[in-house]
Amino acid sequence: MDPASPPPPDTVRDTVRIYEVGPRDGLQNESVPIPTVAKLRYVELLVAAGLREIEATSFVSPAAIPQLADAGELVPLLPAADGVRYPVLVPNERGLARAEAAGARAVAVFTAATDAFTERNIGMTIARSLEAAAPVIRRAGDLGWWRRGYVSTAFGCPYTGAVEPSLAVDVAIRLLELGVDEVCFGDTIGVGVPGQVAALTGAARAAGVPLDRIAYHFHDTRGTALANVAAGLDAGVRCFDASAGGTGGCPYAPGAAGNLATEDLVYFLDASGWTHGVDLEGVLAAARFIAATLGRPLATKVGQAGGWDPTSGAPTGRPAGRA
Ligand code: COA
Ligand code: ZN
């Protein structure tokens, strides 16, 4: 681990960071072109809901992810709100140069726990992807940017099956050595269960990774995402990814369905007494907006049921006119 970049002080233990991935992970797999102004509106609604970390887009090859080919147009338009960070996903130096030109200030690099997945996703082995990430992480550090590193397929791979925690942890350690502020373990295809979250967190801690440099990224493909969040909280992790409206999926991860919905996560955290700074009704407004933009009903649990007011027993946050 790089002693020059100590982890941030881990002071408030009952505060959870919700890292919104809707505009990037949520939209990257959508085939119908979404206008840049609609992406911007989605982000504006997320900011209004109190989200402070919003992964806005990616500077990858437009041939690989056509939906996000407008990253260079979107980033300069992002609302400059106090304390809001807009990381962008970057695969290589070319992507970082584009991100820098657009005015980005935070970056996420990505690799995975299995070679089979990285080869399908980005045409590289894990080792090669780390070589590609190294100058990106270094340059972003020189620019003073916040830096995250994703370890995808940390719970299971669509091409090779079960993944040992040690594989994911080894990759995470490499990313931290390269200088990322945080590693995010991704359950890209939504196969993980709480026992795996406990095992992976334990393995990471045993390898020297501080808890406040770990984030989790769950997909709700098999309905285990919130149970996995609970296991992460139990293990001491305090950062979780989610997507307002439950959009999401990776074109190179067959079977990947939506991310954990931000509205489902916010309801769960509120009802469990965690502080996070995000307003459920605001998230529901963003979720409804993106569902309407995509021409689909809002299918998430809390998107349909609304929140719940424990003082009156009534649902909250449902659109007017719905019983
Ligand atoms: N931004 C824009 N264009 C880029 C780029 C970037 N960051 N990186 C590469 N390109 C372009 C090259 O200029 C080249 O264009 P050309 O065909 O017009 O000459 C083309 O993409 C291929 O470049 P190459 O360096 O050979 O890369 P590749 O074809 O091996 O692709 C990646 C590697 C990583 C760039 C590509 O696989 C990618 O962007 N994948 C992203 C996958 C993703 O986002 N998945 C979801 C997130 S988990
Ligand atoms: Zn994802």
Side-chain angles (χ1 to χ4, degrees):
M1 224 130 298
D2 177 9
S5 55
D10 188 16
T11 43
V12 191
R13 297 310 297 162
D14 59 355
T15 297
V16 171
R17 288 167 49 217
I18 301 179
Y19 182 102
E20 171 67 43
V21 294
R24 196 278 299 171
D25 204 15
L27 300 186
Q28 69 185 8
N29 201 28
E30 293 294 337
S31 47
V32 177
I34 302 165
T36 309
V37 291
K39 295 172 182 171
L40 180 62
R41 184 73 191 129
Y42 186 31
V43 172
E44 287 168 348
L45 289 167
L46 294 166
V47 173
L51 285 149
R52 289 294 170 266
E53 296 177 88
I54 302 170
E55 199 165 285
T57 184
S58 57
F59 288 88
V60 298
S61 154
I65 307 284
Q67 181 63 257
L68 303 182
D70 63 350
E73 282 87 67
L74 178 65
V75 167
L77 302 174
L78 294 171
D82 241 12
V84 178
R85 173 189 281 162
Y86 298 110
V88 295
L89 195 75
V90 162
N92 52 21
E93 289 178 280
R94 167 92 191 276
L96 191 78
R98 289 177 56 214
E100 201 180 327
R105 307 285 294 273
V107 71
V109 301
F110 57 109
T111 180
T114 59
D115 279 323
F117 181 75
T118 52
E119 274 160 10
R120 252 63 150 228
N121 193 29
I122 50 176
M124 305 173 199
T125 60
I126 297 169
R128 176 72 198 91
S129 72
L130 288 165
E131 279 170 32
V136 172
I137 298 169
R138 196 180 319 120
R139 170 81 186 143
D142 291 344
L143 293 166
W145 294 12
W146 182 82
R147 298 164 293 170
R148 164 184 265 207
Y150 280 104
V151 183
S152 295
T153 62
F155 293 82
C157 173
Y159 306 109
T160 59
V163 171
E164 280 301 311
S166 61
L167 289 178
V169 170
D170 286 350
V171 177
I173 297 279
R174 287 288 299 127
L175 286 165
L176 288 163
E177 284 170 351
L178 290 173
V180 298
D181 297 286
E182 169 176 281
V183 287
C184 179
F185 293 111
D187 186 7
T188 315
I189 53 169
V191 292
V193 292
Q196 281 179 280
V197 179
L200 179 54
T201 313
R205 291 193 68 183
V209 182
L211 280 172
D212 57 6
R213 296 177 81 173
I214 299 175
Y216 277 120
H217 176 107
F218 297 120
H219 281 249
D220 206 23
T221 320
R222 291 171 180 78
T224 58
L226 272 182
N228 290 340
V229 168
L233 289 166
D234 281 350
V237 173
R238 295 290 181 266
C239 181
F240 300 93
D241 294 5
S243 136
T247 48
C250 172
Y252 303 97
N259 289 279
L260 169 59
T262 313
E263 53 271 34
D264 291 357
L265 177 61
V266 167
Y267 173 77
F268 172 85
L269 294 173
D270 280 344
S272 309
W274 294 93
T275 302
H276 50 74
V278 180
D279 170 55
L280 179 59
E281 300 213 8
V283 173
L284 285 169
R288 280 190 206 105
F289 171 80
I290 200 62
T293 301
L294 296 170
R296 297 204 278 264
L298 179 57
T300 62
K301 297 283 189 202
V302 174
Q304 293 180 76
W308 185 66
D309 177 2
T311 58
S312 69
T316 62
R318 292 157 61 105
R322 281 189 57 176

